[in-house]
Amino acid sequence: MLKQFAVMALLAIPGVATAGDLLCPEVEAPPAPVCVSTPHGLAYADTGEEAHRAADALGDAAQHYMLHFGRAPVGTLILSTDLDPLVANDHARAHGLDYAQVWLPASAKRAMTERAMRQAGVDRAGITRALAGAAEREAVTLRHEVGHAMYAAMYWPDAAGASLQVRYGTPAPDWLDEAVAILMEPPEAQARHLESFIDAAKHRPQTIPGLTDFLQAEHPVRSAALARALSRGPRSGSGVQMVVADGGEFPGVDSFYGQSLLLALFLAETSGDPRILVPISAAIAGGATFDQWLASEGVAHGLPIDVPALQALWDGWLKSQVLQRGRGGKG
């Protein structure tokens, strides 16, 4: 049921546009040796296989992003272990692209993961199990990271490519930033987030924050504990850091992604507007808070005027549409 729920939420959103064709620019020092052009941006990597993998992620993320926002920024995804993201951003802007996202090639990601796990004391069997299915997870991660980049480019273009962010991803509230990135993932990956949330909501309900707290919460991994763990883990020259930890080290991380996704789906369903994140994001990018947007625009969008009233609707929706459906995998 969870998988079907996620698919239905996606397919209910109409309207897909396409961008014009792009060409890989001829430059003396490209971000990576191989470039693949797509209607949605440029994909760079050290090998043709990796470049096509990046191109697929760009296309998939752009299609999903257009479903929810009407259009998708056009940028570049660069798989590199040593390219400075600021240099990548300069390259993107020099060629009229909206954003640049630097991530690791699959082989480098696998090597960093193995190194981090060895540092954490994981045995060989555990490492082998953890690395199984790595290619599938990496495809999801690429789409997720591109989602962050597109969202920043659309609403906070001056922050795109910055070396430091005030928030976890974009300057948006962390729940909203994560919701957008998760909406770029395939339904199967979204379902896993929902399952983690439902498990926490059923067995540890005291760990699920109410909307007043959740709307203002920082991402659970933004903590002193994570900073200490990251300082001990491997880091690529392009700035990607890695740490191995169990969920108990970062309370709430197992449910945060699912709650972020569900809140976005709840707002879309309750308002009747599958692109409700557009006016919300525009208002927040303009300096308003979510509470202020509700007070001024909530009624016009079929929503209450304040968070307490929204909480009541959320509680009922969560119970009837999510928690009861999740029992035994049946509707």
Side-chain angles (χ1 to χ4, degrees):
M1 175 54 72
L2 294 178
K3 188 179 295 186
Q4 181 183 11
F5 179 81
V7 171
M8 290 174 63
L10 175 63
L11 295 182
I13 302 173
V16 177
T18 58
D21 291 337
L22 296 174
L23 294 176
C24 293
E26 295 185 7
V27 294
E28 290 186 5
V34 181
C35 175
V36 173
S37 63
T38 81
H40 310 292
L42 304 178
Y44 284 92
D46 290 337
T47 68
E49 180 182 0
E50 288 279 7
H52 281 286
R53 181 178 291 115
D56 289 342
L58 274 174
D60 290 341
Q63 293 291 338
H64 281 67
Y65 197 91
M66 286 187 287
L67 288 172
H68 295 280
F69 289 92
R71 67 177 182 87
V74 177
T76 182
L77 174 59
I78 305 163
L79 303 185
S80 172
T81 58
D82 55 16
L83 183 67
D84 186 329
L86 295 179
V87 173
N89 189 60
D90 289 341
H91 174 82
R93 290 185 174 179
H95 296 285
L97 300 172
D98 297 320
Y99 69 88
Q101 177 63 50
V102 181
W103 197 248
L104 296 176
S107 58
K109 177 75 173 297
R110 184 182 181 93
M112 280 185 67
T113 301
E114 187 169 353
R115 179 182 170 191
M117 296 186 77
R118 287 201 308 269
Q119 290 180 352
V122 180
D123 60 24
R124 172 54 57 183
I127 292 175
T128 300
R129 289 193 299 271
L131 292 177
E136 176 187 355
R137 291 193 299 273
E138 184 60 13
V140 173
T141 299
L142 287 176
R143 288 169 57 164
H144 184 104
E145 296 302 324
V146 169
H148 282 305
M150 289 191 297
Y151 191 51
M154 178 173 282
Y155 291 103
W156 293 274
D158 293 336
S163 58
L164 295 175
Q165 295 283 4
V166 176
R167 309 295 298 191
Y168 176 71
T170 68
D174 285 351
W175 74 268
L176 180 54
D177 183 69
E178 267 319 328
V180 172
I182 295 167
L183 286 169
M184 303 306 103
E185 299 179 9
E188 294 80 6
Q190 292 179 5
R192 288 192 287 270
H193 295 305
L194 299 182
E195 288 165 358
S196 293
F197 172 81
I198 289 173
D199 181 72
K202 287 183 175 181
H203 301 106
R204 302 180 301 282
Q206 72 280 1
T207 67
I208 304 300
L211 291 186
T212 298
D213 292 331
F214 185 70
L215 290 167
Q216 303 176 43
E218 285 196 326
H219 197 296
V221 300
R222 285 178 61 90
S223 66
L226 178 66
R228 290 192 296 270
L230 286 173
S231 69
R232 299 189 297 267
R235 178 189 180 101
S236 74
S238 57
V240 178
Q241 294 175 275
M242 190 167 296
V243 64
V244 175
D246 60 51
E249 293 187 54
F250 311 118
V253 72
D254 58 338
S255 61
F256 185 83
Y257 294 94
Q259 188 167 1
S260 298
L261 173 60
L262 278 172
L263 183 54
L265 297 177
F266 161 75
L267 291 170
E269 182 174 316
T270 303
S271 67
D273 181 1
R275 291 179 177 164
I276 190 63
L277 297 187
V278 172
I280 293 174
S281 300
I284 291 176
T289 66
F290 180 79
D291 300 56
Q292 291 169 337
W293 178 82
L294 269 185
S296 62
E297 302 293 334
V299 172
H301 291 278
L303 297 169
I305 61 171
D306 57 34
V307 174
L310 189 67
Q311 178 77 58
L313 292 179
W314 162 258
D315 289 341
W317 182 86
L318 197 62
K319 181 178 180 181
S320 63
Q321 300 298 316
V322 180
L323 298 182
Q324 289 182 355
R325 287 186 180 188
R327 292 174 184 168
K330 298 179 180 179

